[in-house]
Amino acid sequence: MPLTLLFCCIVSFFVCVSCNQEEIKRPQFLKLSEGFKNPIGFYNANPTFSWELPIYEQIKAQSAYQVVVASSKELLPNNADLWNSKKRKSTQSTFVKYQGKALESRQKVYWQVRYWNQDKNASEWSEINSFELGLLNNTDWQAKWTGLDTSKDSIKGVRNFLMHRPQYLRKGFELSSDIASARLYITAKGVFDVHLNGKDVSDDVMTPGWTPYNHRIETLTYDVTELLETGKNAIAVELASGWHSGRISRLTALYDNFSSPKILCQLEVVMKDGSKQTIISDESWKGTTKGPIRLAGIYDGEVYDANFEIQNWNAATFDDSNWELVEVESISSEVKLAPKRHQTVKNQLVLKDVEIVSVKENSAVFNLKQNMVGVPKVKVQMKKGDTLKIRFSEMLLKDNTFYTKNYRSAKSTDYYIAAKNGVIEYTPKFTFHGFQFLELSGYDKNAKPDASWVQGIAQHSDFEKNGTFTSSHDKLNQLQSNITWGLRDNFFDIPTDCPQRDERLGWTGDAQVIAPTSLFNYDVHAFWTAWLQSLRENQFEHKDGMVPFIVPDVLQTKSGSSGWGDAAVIIPWDIYNATGDITVLEESYESTKNWVGYYQSKVKKEPYLPKMHSFSDWLQPYPSKPGKLGNRGDTPKDLIHAAFFAHSAHLVSKIANVLGKKDDVKKYKDLYESVANAFENAFFEDGKFTGEKQTQTSYLLGIYFDLFKPETKLKAQKYLLEEIKNTDYHLGTGFLGTPILPKVLDDMGEIDLMYKILFKETYPSWFYSINQGATTMWERWNSYSKADGYNPQPMNSLNHYAYGAIGQWMYERIAGLSSLEPGYKKIRITPLPNTEFLTSASVSVKTPYGKASSSWKIENSTFNLEVVIPPNTTAEIQIPYGIQDDLIVNGSTFKETSNLKLISSDSDSIKILAEPGTYNFQTKL
Ligand code: RAM
């Protein structure tokens, strides 16, 4: 070869390699740990890194990656001083563990990632992302718990509970030179709203949120650089009881004798000249309880008196010399101060489409058309000295008056006292309500009520939407809406059972039932893992492994309940399957084993059959016992203990397998098998439940948890079908049976039957509540009916998410998208059309690898399926109809390609393995 030609070849080779490399687009959507984007005040010095590959033709999969981490931007990518993973051959693009130098409180860290695609070409480096750690240790705090002693006022509220007047706390300070950057670290025993120089520091609501305060209090970090000035400044905090000192934490002995609320804050300022100044909460602060928020409680509402407003109290110019001196308390080493590990609650949506229902003399009822959680925003004309009373209710009685019996002792009423004539605007700050209707009274009699007087501000933890579901059926879409409203309404910092009555507690059973559905609909990865930490903290108080009924455990539960405490095992497993994040399993491992240990400790007489407490198949329809006694349904609790004992042991064995704990894999599998055996022998004879009353749930638990021998399982399935027939094809399940019903019928191939049950209009069914006007999920299948009114029991929440667990089946099977390998590394697309009820259904889910979707419709006797599979995953797609030769893919007859491989084909369905991409499948019915 002539030299020139050789030279040309070499040049073109290099040009080609480099041009090839330029073509590979950078990774995107970088995230830290449970989905955080460039956080400050981050909680974890051992984070994980995730990224997504961009979506375009050239990118199918990742073959290798490199993560670089440095203490300054300039060091990236080539001089990473904290960690350089080097090129690692791996398809892992989610939850890659940091393995670099130890990180400290306040440290700011920068990171970047690149990947190599399936052809081993390197991408460009991603954008640089960062995170900054919060104060990770109690010793990082110089501040003291600071506040007024409000217990001495001895104000007694509902049920004689001590109420604390909200406090206004402030401190003026000077900053000597120009400010380079400033961080405010803050929390409270109570709930707070902080201002700097008269400006609101954040739009967070009811911070710091709710943890077991006797173990851990979460702290917030704010970047306040822009709010400070050289010279005079002021920091000012409004503080109320919240969960910590309110009657929701009913046991006064729990959190330092129900002490007065306090704040803890530390403002750290770095000056341009490099010097530092720190302002802390301490004895130099001043406070008053003579501010406008006179009283505030989560259950009972807020009282705001505008006559007490203090002009400019939060500005630097204010003279606080006649305010009271505060009391202080040192930080205790027993209670961990830890940066908040999930999103705060924020205002999310303003409901403005309001209707006036009725007007009486000086009172009017407004309808927000959606049962919601949050606060109202009212704008009304008032006369000086008059009191505006704002009442709430979820639904009305026949005569348009309020149904509030189901709030039980929660007063849920706000008051505003006017200081002058004219239009006032008011939004309560330190309470929240569950309501659709609102009654105003006490406004100016001369004013004519107008729908514009009222808006509803919906609040919940600030997670993002993760999935969508829609179909051709209005009621099914309404059900999806009711499920998602119910979820958001009850994800108020912790997962609550209900948002309106004197409860609003983190019931573990409800949580385990709804977790999978919630993970489809919202990005609640961090939300759940944060609550699981609280669960562990409460569980570890008990040597026997007992998980309390509720978390945080303000009931100081004395025993565990089967089906409830199992949240400790079931939820980590659900999160792992939805996200692929192994960290949650590592964090929870001891806790999962301890809960199984609790069951073991309750086995006394008969081997493997625990004797303990259970709420059982809570609120099963048509219980044989009347009223309250019937709440636990008819499935015997002993059966439920054994079923969940076996199931949790089985899951622990699976978790042990993921974590590589070989001994435990066997130990817990053996345990599961022994309990399963005992379960079958004790409660079934030849597959038939031997108890007093046949229930769907007895069979469902046994079948779904795999507790029968293969031959008896078939018989049990037959008895289950008989039982369903006996109820005229209605569900007969309570909290525990309901989420399992669709899964079992699905496994049995009884798809049409499941559709029939789901689309039932009569009681008990999902559509029944919709037919009665529900806009959220109800606590009971018969909470209300147009014909008979409200269920007579006061425990009758109209916003309780448990029965929304059907949402999982809607995503996974009606529209057909689920995770086949943890975190959607492999996706399963298996839509289940049913032409009797639906002509189309569609879902999309933001998987850790990018958006995946499945949409089908039936038109002109053609089944049409549109599928999107994100990069770095594969999918198993099952087309429910057709003959392979008739299958059209993206407009042409199906042929195997490098993107689509045939797995199997029979008269009922065609199964295909798909690489990432967008596909349209068509087949004749
Ligand atoms: C009710 C709660 C919750 C349920 C328990 C057993 O008070 O609302 O939903 O789990 O009881």
Side-chain angles (χ1 to χ4, degrees):
M1 187 187 292
L3 254 179
T4 43
L5 188 60
L6 180 68
F7 178 74
C8 280
C9 278
I10 291 171
V11 168
S12 64
F13 174 77
F14 279 111
V15 168
C16 208
V17 167
S18 67
C19 79
N20 226 343
Q21 290 207 347
E22 270 164 32
E23 274 168 22
I24 308 301
K25 289 188 194 157
R26 51 171 62 166
Q28 52 187 10
F29 306 125
L30 275 62
K31 285 182 198 148
L32 203 67
S33 296
E34 294 86 12
F36 297 88
K37 295 167 199 154
N38 298 314
I40 67 161
F42 192 57
Y43 81 97
N44 190 351
N46 292 299
T48 58
F49 302 106
S50 304
W51 56 91
E52 288 176 25
L53 308 193
I55 300 175
Y56 70 111
E57 266 307 292
Q58 279 82 336
I59 305 303
K60 293 281 174 247
Q62 174 185 291
S63 58
Y65 69 82
Q66 183 179 11
V67 178
V68 283
V69 185
S71 55
S72 85
K73 265 188 190 165
E74 291 67 39
L75 295 173
L76 292 179
N78 296 328
N79 300 304
D81 59 341
L82 295 174
W83 187 47
N84 183 346
S85 73
K86 307 267 174 59
K87 180 176 173 180
R88 287 184 173 179
K89 280 194 189 147
S90 166
T91 62
Q92 187 182 0
S93 58
T94 59
F95 311 108
V96 169
K97 284 193 172 147
Y98 175 69
Q99 286 161 18
K101 289 191 187 143
L103 304 177
E104 297 172 353
S105 294
R106 305 180 184 84
Q107 191 167 349
K108 179 121 190 179
V109 178
Y110 299 86
W111 67 287
Q112 228 178 350
V113 57
R114 65 173 166 168
Y115 65 93
W116 283 259
N117 73 354
Q118 65 282 354
D119 303 322
K120 313 216 165 27
N121 292 328
S123 75
E124 287 178 52
W125 283 100
S126 71
E127 281 178 359
I128 295 178
N129 271 235
S130 67
F131 62 97
E132 182 185 298
L133 292 163
L135 301 186
L136 303 175
N137 314 300
N138 285 20
T139 49
D140 294 321
W141 290 85
Q142 300 154 39
K144 294 174 188 160
W145 289 109
T146 299
L148 299 170
D149 176 7
T150 47
S151 56
K152 67 175 179 345
D153 299 338
S154 292
I155 304 169
K156 295 289 169 63
V158 177
R159 290 187 174 155
N160 235 5
F161 270 91
L162 180 67
M163 293 191 82
H164 297 275
R165 281 230 186 275
Q167 308 177 33
Y168 294 76
L169 300 166
R170 71 182 306 282
K171 180 184 167 75
F173 57 94
E174 288 212 16
L175 293 175
S176 46
S177 60
D178 286 351
I179 300 136
S181 75
R183 294 288 181 268
L184 175 65
Y185 303 99
I186 183 164
T187 189
K189 292 180 179 176
V191 285
F192 70 90
D193 189 25
V194 57
H195 315 255
L196 270 174
N197 295 328
K199 294 198 188 98
D200 230 344
V201 167
S202 90
D203 56 358
D204 291 342
V205 169
M206 301 283 280
T207 37
W210 199 9
T211 47
Y213 299 126
N214 47 338
H215 297 287
R216 180 175 50 102
I217 301 182
E218 290 186 316
T219 63
L220 283 302
T221 304
Y222 298 110
D223 178 354
V224 292
T225 316
E226 302 300 323
L227 296 176
L228 293 174
E229 279 156 31
T230 310
K232 282 196 184 330
N233 291 271
I235 180 162
V237 185
E238 292 166 88
L239 175 66
S241 301
W243 293 276
H244 180 274
S245 306
R247 82 177 168 101
I248 193 165
S249 293
R250 44 244 313 139
L251 294 158
T252 48
L254 196 57
Y255 305 140
D256 16 311
N257 281 327
F258 220 19
S259 67
S260 309
K262 291 186 179 55
I263 56 152
L264 183 75
C265 90
Q266 187 157 309
L267 173 63
E268 300 188 3
V269 191
V270 181
M271 305 301 171
K272 286 202 174 131
D273 62 10
S275 63
K276 287 184 186 148
Q277 226 175 305
T278 303
I279 288 90
I280 56 169
S281 52
D282 62 10
E283 39 284 276
S284 67
W285 284 53
K286 292 296 209 51
T288 183
T289 52
K290 296 195 181 89
I293 305 181
R294 305 301 303 141
L295 287 169
I298 288 176
Y299 290 158
D300 301 314
E302 190 175 280
V303 180
Y304 187 97
D305 188 342
N307 296 294
F308 282 81
E309 280 171 2
I310 314 166
Q311 286 311 307
N312 292 328
W313 74 280
N314 53 11
T317 47
F318 185 76
D319 175 11
D320 58 22
S321 51
N322 60 0
W323 279 27
E324 287 175 60
L325 289 174
V326 292
E327 299 192 347
V328 298
E329 191 183 280
S330 317
I331 290 168
S332 127
S333 55
E334 317 256 282
V335 178
K336 175 108 186 90
L337 297 165
K340 193 165 182 74
R341 57 176 295 180
H342 69 116
Q343 297 81 358
T344 52
V345 174
K346 284 189 196 290
N347 294 346
Q348 301 289 345
L349 191 75
V350 183
L351 299 185
K352 295 182 181 165
D353 180 16
V354 181
E355 202 175 77
I356 297 191
V357 178
S358 63
V359 178
K360 288 196 193 129
E361 211 211 333
N362 204 218
S363 91
V365 172
F366 299 80
N367 180 1
L368 286 124
K369 302 182 186 167
Q370 171 64 53
N371 197 12
M372 59 157 274
V373 171
V375 286
K377 182 172 173 186
V378 294
K379 203 172 165 190
V380 259
Q381 194 164 310
M382 287 194 68
K383 280 249 159 67
K384 182 176 160 62
D386 283 355
T387 302
L388 181 76
K389 185 172 179 185
I390 312 170
R391 294 175 65 225
F392 302 87
S393 82
E394 295 189 286
M395 272 173 84
L396 299 178
L397 295 168
K398 284 223 166 75
D399 60 356
N400 279 349
T401 57
F402 275 23
Y403 169 63
T404 50
K405 186 176 166 188
N406 71 337
Y407 284 178
R408 300 195 305 209
S409 76
K411 291 279 168 236
S412 197
T413 304
D414 300 327
Y415 297 89
Y416 180 99
I417 299 149
K420 54 179 190 283
N421 294 337
V423 174
I424 62 104
E425 255 190 67
Y426 170 60
T427 304
K429 186 172 273 190
F430 293 129
T431 189
F432 61 91
H433 308 277
F435 64 105
Q436 176 175 335
F437 295 89
L438 192 145
E439 182 197 72
L440 296 184
S441 58
Y443 49 82
D444 184 345
K445 280 193 183 124
N446 301 320
K448 187 173 173 296
D450 189 274
S452 66
W453 284 12
V454 167
Q455 294 181 352
I457 301 178
Q459 305 171 322
H460 57 80
S461 287
D462 191 32
F463 41 70
E464 287 176 14
K465 204 172 157 83
N466 201 57
T468 57
F469 172 93
T470 175
S471 75
S472 54
H473 198 287
D474 287 347
K475 284 187 190 168
L476 193 61
N477 295 344
Q478 184 63 46
L479 177 59
Q480 166 68 8
S481 171
N482 293 6
I483 293 171
T484 50
W485 269 100
L487 276 171
R488 283 171 292 156
D489 288 342
N490 280 296
F491 281 3
F492 201 101
D493 204 65
I494 62 149
T496 61
D497 60 330
C498 60
Q500 74 295 69
R501 67 174 175 233
D502 57 355
E503 198 153 4
R504 315 187 199 187
L505 304 171
W507 279 93
T508 47
D510 310 42
Q512 69 88 355
V513 163
I514 203 64
T517 299
S518 75
L519 287 155
F520 274 110
N521 285 293
Y522 297 101
D523 182 0
V524 281
H525 187 178
F527 177 82
W528 280 119
T529 47
W531 182 74
L532 283 174
Q533 178 166 352
S534 298
L535 180 148
R536 294 191 295 272
E537 285 160 353
N538 278 146
Q539 181 191 17
F540 292 155
E541 287 170 16
H542 308 282
K543 286 207 179 71
D544 58 5
M546 193 269 274
V547 174
F549 300 159
I550 58 163
V551 173
D553 186 17
V554 288
L555 293 176
Q556 292 197 312
T557 314
K558 297 281 174 298
S559 56
S561 169
S562 54
W564 268 249
D566 302 84
V569 186
I570 295 174
I571 298 179
W573 185 244
D574 288 337
I575 296 172
Y576 170 65
N577 280 303
T579 64
D581 186 8
I582 211 170
T583 326
V584 63
L585 301 183
E586 293 167 342
E587 283 185 341
S588 303
Y589 194 52
E590 275 311 300
S591 154
T592 64
K593 291 203 294 185
N594 289 359
W595 173 246
V596 172
Y598 181 73
Y599 278 118
Q600 285 173 300
S601 75
K602 296 292 161 191
V603 173
K604 297 276 147 67
K605 282 200 195 118
E606 297 153 288
Y608 303 108
L609 295 177
K611 288 276 179 206
M612 55 193 277
H613 177 278
S614 186
F615 290 102
S616 305
D617 195 21
W618 190 244
L619 306 183
Q620 168 221 299
Y622 295 121
S624 48
K625 294 195 187 106
K628 230 177 150 181
L629 292 174
N631 284 351
R632 287 171 203 221
D634 295 311
T635 306
K637 67 177 184 167
D638 288 348
L639 179 150
I640 292 172
H641 309 324
F644 276 90
F645 178 20
H647 182 53
S648 277
H650 199 186
L651 290 184
V652 172
S653 162
K654 291 181 184 181
I655 294 171
N657 190 36
V658 176
L659 297 179
K661 317 252 182 202
K662 280 205 188 109
D663 293 349
D664 284 349
V665 176
K666 178 158 174 4
K667 181 173 154 194
Y668 287 94
K669 182 139 188 294
D670 289 350
L671 179 60
Y672 144 68
E673 281 166 3
S674 305
V675 183
N677 208 13
F679 169 90
E680 183 173 345
N681 292 339
F683 306 107
F684 293 83
E685 216 179 283
D686 210 16
K688 176 133 183 154
F689 172 51
T690 52
E692 261 171 53
K693 198 179 170 220
Q694 296 292 303
T695 65
Q696 293 179 11
T697 297
S698 334
Y699 292 107
L700 290 169
L701 293 173
I703 298 168
Y704 184 63
F705 293 164
D706 217 353
L707 308 179
F708 293 112
K709 285 178 217 71
E711 59 283 11
T712 38
K713 182 174 175 181
L714 291 173
K715 291 181 185 157
Q717 289 177 336
K718 205 181 86 230
Y719 290 122
L720 170 67
L721 294 182
E722 259 175 36
E723 195 40 40
I724 295 175
K725 193 171 162 212
N726 290 342
T727 55
D728 184 29
Y729 306 104
H730 286 82
L731 58 84
T733 49
F735 279 25
L736 298 182
T738 300
I740 296 175
L741 176 72
K743 298 173 190 176
V744 166
L745 292 183
D746 197 326
D747 276 356
M748 289 165 62
E750 293 289 344
I751 312 297
D752 290 345
L753 174 59
M754 188 54 224
Y755 262 101
K756 195 168 175 173
I757 295 172
L758 174 55
F759 281 74
K760 272 271 164 196
E761 306 264 347
T762 42
Y763 171 75
S765 71
W766 284 276
F767 286 2
Y768 181 70
S769 67
I770 291 172
N771 292 339
Q772 315 308 315
T775 59
T776 39
M777 302 309 295
W778 290 347
E779 183 167 23
R780 298 169 181 274
W781 293 116
N782 59 351
S783 282
Y784 168 79
S785 78
K786 285 178 183 161
D788 303 326
Y790 294 94
N791 189 297
Q793 290 194 50
M795 192 192 79
N796 191 32
S797 156
L798 302 178
N799 207 347
H800 231 76
Y801 48 48
Y803 293 142
I806 185 68
Q808 181 182 5
W809 196 70
M810 288 157 63
Y811 269 84
E812 290 189 342
R813 297 297 271 149
I814 293 186
L817 195 155
S818 57
S819 169
L820 195 57
E821 279 174 18
Y824 297 86
K825 186 76 180 116
K826 192 163 189 182
I827 296 169
R828 195 174 79 143
I829 305 282
T830 41
L832 283 177
N834 179 302
T835 43
E836 194 187 334
F837 300 108
L838 291 177
T839 54
S840 71
S842 163
V843 280
S844 72
V845 175
K846 278 196 220 158
T847 78
Y849 301 91
K851 195 162 159 180
S853 63
S854 166
S855 309
W856 63 263
K857 63 172 185 239
I858 293 174
E859 249 171 23
N860 308 326
S861 303
T862 304
F863 174 75
N864 196 305
L865 175 68
E866 193 91 32
V867 173
V868 177
I869 307 300
N872 210 20
T873 66
T874 53
E876 228 178 75
I877 302 173
Q878 191 165 341
I879 321 284
Y881 304 103
I883 310 165
Q884 194 188 323
D885 294 344
D886 293 343
L887 181 65
I888 309 286
V889 183
N890 296 343
S892 319
T893 308
F894 170 68
K895 265 197 223 84
E896 283 199 310
T897 62
S898 58
N899 283 340
L900 296 176
K901 294 261 181 297
L902 186 71
I903 303 173
S904 64
S905 154
D906 58 37
S907 52
D908 296 333
S909 71
I910 306 166
K911 227 190 210 178
I912 288 168
L913 183 69
E915 293 290 316
T918 300
Y919 305 99
N920 177 276
F921 299 93
Q922 270 182 21
T923 179
K924 286 275 168 221
L925 293 190

